[in-house]
Amino acid sequence: GPAPAGDLPPEWETDDERMAFLFSAFKQSREVNSTEWDSKMAFWVGLVLARGRRRGAVRTMCRISKVRTDCVQFHVNYLFPRRGKLQRESDFMASVDSSWISWGVGVFILKPLKWTLSSMLGDSKIPEEEEVLIYVELLQEKAEEVYRLYQNSALSSHPVVALSELRSLCAGLCPDERTFYLLLLQLQKEKRVTILEQHGEKIVKFARGLHAKVSPMNDVDIGVYQLMQSEQLLSQKVESLSQEAEKCKEDARSACRAGKKQL
């Protein structure tokens, strides 16, 4: 179908000669014609990153044909990863300690997308290999947004935070759980967060300064977290008892108005 408005540059529809050049095969060596090679690469890199940025996405799905290798597939499968613009999601996951991610989410991210689709639709309906790629630059930018959002929130008054609370804070930045985990992994890779599972609940510790490295989770951090949880539970209990007391007062007033003072 037609691409959404703004997704494609003007020459896509108006300059057939230019587009024929851009879609022509890359030379295997840049040294053959470095000007031509760089011009093509700049176009495709800019187009792909601009598309991701407009969508607020940190990843994209790539369909790689097993039969032919055209210009775009050559970019995505070979050139972009080498230039650091795109990275396979599975390679990114393998580069970071992701042991804290739950088994279900880990399998969902690490398994090839083809496996997921073929499980639902059947192998006959998946004629091409599907691969999820990460926009490296956009992932870094979004991770920085998450870090600054936390630093400017009330949660930053404590050294540690529950993963569930952080997820709620980042709901506007992260449209889905998968994106949220990828951003946390990027921050972990940058040594700005560390994550620990404590009694079945995941705890996140952030570096305290914008350029600081996070220190390992220690007993003090865990103790502070447990005190925070106790405080939260007590606050909820106080609120519940206050509501119950108000209900009892209202019941007593109703009984008095009805002349049933013994109640």
Side-chain angles (χ1 to χ4, degrees), residues 18 21-22 26-27 29-46 75 79-80 83:
R18 166 76 172 156
F21 159 72
L22 291 168
F26 262 84
K27 301 293 189 294
S29 172
R30 177 179 175 274
E31 303 307 318
V32 174
N33 188 331
S34 60
T35 302
E36 177 183 300
W37 203 96
D38 290 344
S39 174
K40 283 186 183 179
M41 179 55 64
F43 173 84
W44 289 112
V45 168
H75 297 1
L79 294 175
F80 282 1
R83 292 172 66 89

Side-chain angles (χ1 to χ4, degrees), residues 93-108:
M93 290 284 293
S95 72
V96 190
D97 175 16
S98 55
S99 58
W100 54 269
I101 292 181
S102 63
W103 182 85
V105 175
V107 168
F108 180 58

